Structures are given as C-alpha cells and as structure tokens.
Amino acid sequence: MGERAGALVPCFGTGGEGPRASSDRGSPRRTRARGTDQQRDEDPEGPPRLAVARPNRQPRSEPGTRAAQAGLATTRHALAAALATILLSLLVASRLALLGAGFWNDEAFTALFFVDRGPEAILRGDYIPNDHVLFNLLTWYATEALGRREVVYRLWSVIPGVLSAAALTEWTRRRLGIAVALAFLLLVATSPLHLELTVQARGYGLGFAAMSLLLAGAAGRSRGGPPRFGVVAGAGLLGITTLPVFVLPFLGECAFLCTRPKGRAKALATVAAVGIASLAFYLPLLDAILASSGQDFGTMAAWTDVLAGPYRDLFSSWVDRMATGVPRPLGATVFWAIAGLGIADLTRRGDRLLAGTLVAPVLATYVSLAALNLQYVPRFVSYLLPPAALLLAMGLVAIGRRATHSLPRSLRGIAAALLVAAALVLAADGARVAAEWSRTPLETYREALDVARHTGLRNVVVNSRFSAGFEWYRGGLRLTYPDPEALSALLCRRDQRFVFIDYPLYGRPFDATCLRERGIEPTVVRQRAGGTLGWMSVWVVTDKASEVDLTRGR
C-alpha cells in the first residue's frame, strides 16, 4: 500500500493484516538488489562480490537512527496496549456496575411470565412480540443453578455481549490493524446503546454475539480467504432463535455471499439448514410468531430509514451526549460519509468480501423493514451495532491517516497525542455515564416498593396500568390498581392506611389536594425512563390507627 496507506498516527502500530507503516520503496535490501543487477549488466564477467561494493548502494542507517526507530516502535506498541487495556477495562467494569440494578418492566415481564415458568411455558406457552426464546431458556437453567437474583437473570446477556465485543476487536486487529481495532473498541465500549442493552435480562447480548460471529464467519479468517459457512450457520441459528428479526441480516448476508460463484452452493445450503433448524425450534410457537409479526409497537419503518436509520438508531444517543441538538439528517450524512471512506479503503486494498459483509446486514434489515411496513424501536435492530461501528471505525482511521500524512513529521507526534487524549476523554465520559446510571435505574419499581415496605404498611395503591415491574417486587405487599374515579375517592377518605405510588409515565393525572391538605408530602424516586415523567412519587397515608386490607372484595 505504500507510505500513503500506512501514514497512521505515529503512536499506533498496525499489526495483523492492516496497512504497512512504511514503504518498501527505497529500502536498503531492494536498493542493493537493483545495484547488483546494474553491475552485472555493465560487467557481466566481473565477480559478484565486486558489485556489492559499488557506491550506488543505499547507505546503511546509522546505529543511533536504528535505535531511535526501535524505541519509537516500542513506544507505539506500549501506548496501543495501554489504550486497549483502558478500553477493555471500561467495557467490563461499566457493564458489571449495572448488573445489580432493579428490573425495568420488560425484564420483569420476561422473568415473571417466561423464565420462572420453565421450559414448557417458554417453548410451548404464549408468545408475544419481541420475546427472546433461547435467552429465556438459557436463563431458566441459570436461575435453577444459581438462584433468582437480578444478576443471574442478566448473565446470558452481559457475558455474550462483552465477550463478543472483545473477540471482534481481536479479529479486527488481525484483519485490519490495531488502529481500526482500537477505534472500534472505543465506539462499542462508550456506546450508550450497548451499555444499556447488554446489562438487561433480555436477549440483546446474544444478538450482539450472533452478529459478531456472522461477520467473522462471512468475511473469513483472512483477506482473500473463503467464508466459514459453519460459523455463518451457527451465528444465524443463535441470532434467529433469540431474536426472530435476526433472520433479516442473516438472509442479507447469505444473499451477498451468493454473489460469489465459488460460495453460492454453500450459502444456499447454509440458508436451508438454518431455516429447517429454526422452524423446528419455533414450531410450537410458529402461529403466534407469524401473528405477532405485525405488532403495533414502535415507529413505522420508512424507505428513508435505509439512510437515516443506522445513525439515528445506533449512534445518535452517543453523539447527543457530546453535542446536543445535532440534526438527525446531518448526523446520518456524516455517518455515511465516514463509513464510505472505510468502504473505499477496503475496496482499494482488494477486500471487497469484508466490505460487502459489513454493508449487507445493515441494508438488508432496513430495506426489509420498509418493504414489509413493519414497526420497530431502535433496540429491535441493536444487533447492527457491530457492523456499523466497524464501518465508522475504518472511516475514522482513514481520515486520521490522510490528516497525519499531510502534516510535517515534526507535528505528527503532537497530532498523535491529541488523538489519544480525545480517546481518553471519551472513555472517561463513558465511565461517568456508567456511574450515573448505576445510581439512577432505568425504572424504579424496586426502589418505590422498598420505600413502601419500610413504612410497615402492606396496602399499596398504584396509579399506573398493571405493570410486571410492580408485580415482580411486590413480595408480601397487597397491590391495587384502581380506576381514576375510585382512586380520587380513596385519596380523600380519612379512614384508611395505605401507601400510594403515583407513576405518571403510565398513570393518569390525579388531584393531590386531599393529600396536601393533610400535610402529606411524597418521597420522589428518580429514574432514567420517561423523560420529564421519569419519576415515581410515594405517599404514605396514615389517618386511621389500624390498616384494612384494600384488596378484599375486589
């Protein structure tokens, strides 16, 4: 690739199959070879040893120069290793910090109605949209062995999510070099989407793992190597049995592999094998899955999402942390411009297989959602984060190479230091977000009911729709969900003792005048979900000396 392709920031090595850091042109070895040929042409009878002594040889590097170059290479490798250690530590520590948080509603629903009811309910019971069957089954085995704590319910998401990110980083280092690998790891480790979904008791971590396997299998072990269809099949089966929507990127990837004549038969056989295995797995639930495919939750996909979706769904929350108010169309344009540079760099190096492998699942997902008029929310397509982050990482590194190559050598060290400092700032911000989230759960069912439990009262009146979150943490409490009229009457009565929890995100507005006239003020519990309605208020009503069971007669 020459010096242009290898003009990476001096602090980074390349490694793997990434671009070489310096050109072979003008190297002493090649110069000596050219000089020898020239001497033989001029004096074919002369002894070869005389040719080596001719003055047109490239001068050897001075010992001091060689030592300086060796020292610079050692510094680059040490700095890259240190940065990788920091990012890997952030990836692991930030996820572990959130494992003990209380469940939000979807996690509690999964635990109550699927995992805790065992394999029969998981494989042959009711099916709802976005149900993660394989995850539920694996988590049931985990809870049987390790107990029913929040951490245990989340193991089969956080472990695959973290390990797959680390493994894909190493694969990237071998395939594309250390610079792209570090950029990719930085994007994933600091991603709010990855942070939030890998620590949930849901199947999103398995989805990240399946996509990582799909990319590594489809792109092959090395540039120019054949796809590994066994890995592709395993990834497809893992993804589809966890997230049925994963069939879209799997088919898109296999369709791309079918464009290569040598692998067409194997790609078709892979699709057939995974299709048969997935149908067998889902057979008892197949009717319910098909019926729920038109679920009405989320935003209707549009054709513009093919271009706007990846940035909006995968990276906008990350960018909004750094610079609020960035217009989504502008963000999408910048994303595809940077990704396009990465694709162009791969094409220039002859790695069209990897370029197509990264683009195919992204386009297949959004084109299919738009063509089928399906509704979705960003977490439904979160499995696209690995290929999208790789595209972005390659583009950013390509920009860095061009920028640093245009600088005088005396300034390249400064540019390298600035880039490393920027990466550390982003890593520090990722650690800060994880610390904030560990103090503020996504939803606060556990915390609100803990406040109620500490009062010693058992009657808890909830201004909310029925919620799995309240049910999961109810323990020995008696929960009631009155309609608005019954709630208004109950709050103004002075002959009851109970705890009242208002959840404005799901409840209806109510008049608190009767409570405030009696000097009752709430304890407010903050949460992340709900925006301006992201809180629960807990009111303790103790007008009567004894407590009456409010659930009687219901």
Side-chain angles (χ1 to χ4, degrees):
M1 291 297 294
E3 190 169 336
R4 178 177 298 276
L8 187 56
V9 181
C11 67
F12 290 141
T14 51
E17 296 187 28
R20 292 186 294 273
S22 64
S23 173
D24 288 334
R25 291 176 295 177
S27 67
R29 180 175 299 175
R30 290 196 173 188
T31 305
R32 287 197 297 270
R34 288 195 298 268
T36 301
D37 293 339
Q38 182 180 356
Q39 291 302 321
R40 286 174 178 169
D41 289 340
E42 293 175 355
D43 187 11
E45 301 298 328
R49 59 186 177 85
L50 295 178
V52 177
R54 301 287 293 195
N56 63 351
R57 255 180 50 185
Q58 185 80 3
R60 292 179 180 271
S61 298
E62 294 295 330
T65 303
R66 291 198 300 269
Q69 290 173 347
L72 182 59
T74 301
T75 301
R76 286 199 301 262
H77 290 306
L79 188 55
L83 189 55
T85 301
I86 292 171
L87 295 177
L88 285 172
S89 299
L90 173 63
L91 176 70
V92 174
S94 59
R95 277 63 178 169
L96 292 180
L98 302 181
L99 284 183
F103 283 159
W104 77 293
N105 185 71
D106 282 18
E107 293 179 285
F109 193 96
T110 295
L112 274 176
F113 296 103
F114 294 108
V115 176
D116 289 355
R117 297 186 180 186
E120 186 67 24
I122 294 170
L123 295 173
R124 293 177 175 81
D126 295 330
Y127 181 88
I128 62 168
N130 200 32
D131 181 21
H132 305 164
V133 177
L134 180 61
F135 170 83
N136 295 339
L137 191 62
L138 294 173
T139 301
W140 177 79
Y141 286 111
T143 57
E144 288 293 299
L146 303 174
R148 287 175 164 78
R149 303 188 305 277
E150 288 96 342
V151 169
V152 178
Y153 285 89
R154 289 168 170 151
L155 290 179
W156 275 104
S157 181
V158 69
I159 292 176
V162 169
L163 289 182
S164 63
L168 192 57
T169 298
E170 172 59 15
W171 181 89
T172 301
R173 184 193 69 82
R174 293 175 180 271
R175 185 66 175 264
L176 299 170
I178 187 64
V180 178
L182 288 175
F184 169 76
L185 183 57
L186 176 66
L187 291 172
V188 173
T190 60
S191 166
L193 182 72
H194 194 273
L195 174 63
E196 184 165 287
L197 295 183
T198 51
V199 297
Q200 290 186 13
R202 306 283 284 138
Y204 299 113
L206 288 173
F208 289 131
M211 178 54 72
S212 299
L213 285 172
L214 184 64
L215 297 177
R221 290 182 182 275
S222 60
R223 188 171 59 205
R228 292 178 289 171
F229 287 99
V231 177
V232 172
L237 193 59
L238 173 63
I240 293 170
T241 53
T242 303
L243 310 168
V245 71
F246 196 84
V247 70
L248 302 180
F250 171 72
L251 291 178
E253 198 71 270
C254 289
F256 166 70
L257 294 177
C258 281
T259 64
R260 300 169 59 86
K262 289 184 179 180
R264 187 171 299 154
K266 291 182 178 179
L268 293 174
T270 299
V271 171
V274 172
I276 292 171
S278 300
L279 285 173
F281 180 83
Y282 279 122
L283 191 58
L285 302 169
L286 192 57
D287 289 342
I289 292 175
L290 294 176
S292 69
S293 62
Q295 56 89 20
D296 56 359
F297 180 70
T299 305
M300 184 70 70
W303 287 107
T304 55
D305 290 339
V306 176
L307 296 178
Y311 169 77
R312 182 194 61 221
D313 299 334
L314 305 175
F315 296 107
S316 63
S317 59
W318 190 86
V319 173
D320 289 344
R321 250 179 34 218
M322 312 297 168
T324 56
V326 176
R328 296 292 171 83
L330 175 61
T333 301
V334 172
F335 166 79
W336 280 112
I338 297 174
L341 290 175
I343 295 170
D345 188 58
L346 283 176
T347 303
R348 194 162 46 246
R349 290 195 283 128
D351 202 350
R352 292 182 178 84
L353 175 61
L354 180 55
T357 294
L358 296 176
V359 173
V362 178
L363 294 183
T365 294
Y366 284 105
V367 168
S368 299
L369 291 174
L372 298 173
N373 292 319
L374 298 179
Q375 293 177 257
Y376 77 102
V377 293
R379 65 178 182 270
F380 292 2
V381 296
S382 59
Y383 54 75
L384 293 176
L385 181 63
L390 267 177
L391 288 170
L392 200 56
M394 289 187 299
L396 291 171
V397 170
I399 293 173
R401 286 176 183 153
R402 288 174 171 82
T404 55
H405 183 72
S406 65
L407 294 175
R409 289 187 180 274
S410 59
L411 297 180
R412 293 183 185 182
I414 298 175
L418 291 175
L419 287 177
V420 172
L424 293 176
V425 168
L426 293 176
D429 184 70
R432 178 189 61 80
V433 170
E436 288 180 358
W437 286 10
S438 67
R439 295 189 296 268
T440 309
L442 188 59
E443 288 190 290
T444 52
Y445 299 106
R446 184 178 71 181
E447 289 73 15
L449 288 179
D450 280 348
V451 173
R453 197 170 281 110
H454 289 158
T455 67
L457 301 176
R458 297 183 63 194
N459 288 330
V460 178
V461 177
V462 182
N463 180 27
S464 170
R465 69 186 187 193
F466 174 85
S467 172
F470 285 120
E471 293 299 319
W472 171 259
Y473 289 110
R474 68 184 300 169
L477 300 175
R478 297 187 290 255
L479 302 184
T480 58
Y481 303 86
D483 59 52
E485 292 183 3
L487 176 62
S488 297
L490 181 62
L491 295 180
C492 290
R493 290 176 60 177
R494 295 176 177 264
D495 59 349
Q496 299 292 344
R497 290 168 61 86
F498 59 90
V499 176
F500 169 55
I501 297 179
D502 175 42
Y503 190 12
L505 183 61
Y506 295 136
R508 298 184 181 182
F510 75 100
D511 186 356
T513 303
C514 291
L515 297 176
R516 297 192 185 278
E517 286 178 348
R518 288 133 71 186
I520 301 173
E521 294 295 332
T523 298
V524 178
V525 184
R526 299 290 177 182
Q527 64 182 37
R528 299 200 312 274
T532 58
L533 301 179
W535 48 272
M536 296 186 191
S537 58
V538 184
W539 310 66
V540 182
V541 181
T542 57
D543 291 311
K544 190 176 179 181
S546 61
E547 184 179 12
V548 178
D549 186 354
L550 296 179
T551 63
R552 289 182 181 178
R554 285 197 300 159

